Amino acid sequence: MPVGSVYPHYVTKVERKGRTTAELDEVIEWLTGFDDAELKGHLAEETSFEDFFAAARLNPNASLITGSVCGVKVQEIEDPLMQKIRYLDKLVDELAKGRPMEKVLRR
């Protein structure tokens, strides 16, 4: 599945809760290590989640992301790709719920 097909849903989710696309991009860039141009390139090229995370430079603090997404604890997911996807989902959820950026970005 392309990241670009899910991204608009992330945008809708965070904007509905009063957050911005810039904040969403900051969260994605924090997790993946992509700069703005790289992120936009992956979205435009319809890069699959597998290739997206294969190219990512995962933030060393990503392991601090804990909690449940769809009833599954992200820290207990064994499949590395699925865990990275759920890390992203968890960060988007936290952003949409109004958590301060410092906490979302594990500062």
Side-chain angles (χ1 to χ4, degrees):
M1 175 179 291
V3 176
S5 69
V6 177
Y7 182 80
H9 298 288
Y10 290 153
V11 170
T12 300
K13 183 174 192 169
V14 300
E15 286 182 343
R16 189 173 350 115
K17 299 293 186 166
R19 301 307 284 257
T20 66
T21 303
E23 289 174 310
L24 172 63
D25 290 351
E26 182 179 352
V27 166
I28 296 171
E29 291 167 14
W30 175 87
L31 178 64
T32 63
F34 296 136
D35 62 23
D36 192 56
E38 289 172 308
L39 174 59
K40 299 298 184 224
H42 284 292
L43 296 174
E45 293 169 14
E46 298 199 11
T47 304
S48 69
F49 272 103
E50 184 174 7
D51 292 340
F52 182 76
F53 281 111
R57 301 168 301 279
L58 204 64
N59 190 298
N61 289 334
S63 62
L64 299 175
I65 302 168
T66 59
S68 296
V69 175
C70 299
V72 177
K73 293 185 183 285
V74 295
Q75 64 272 21
E76 295 176 0
I77 297 173
E78 293 184 17
D79 180 320
L81 175 60
M82 186 55 64
Q83 186 175 48
K84 292 170 188 169
I85 293 169
R86 292 303 184 186
Y87 281 161
L88 179 56
D89 291 342
K90 182 67 179 167
L91 293 176
V92 172
D93 285 350
E94 290 178 0
L95 184 65
K97 288 179 181 174
R99 286 193 83 186
M101 283 300 278
E102 296 79 32
K103 291 192 179 204
V104 174
L105 301 180
R106 306 311 195 255
R107 292 188 184 146

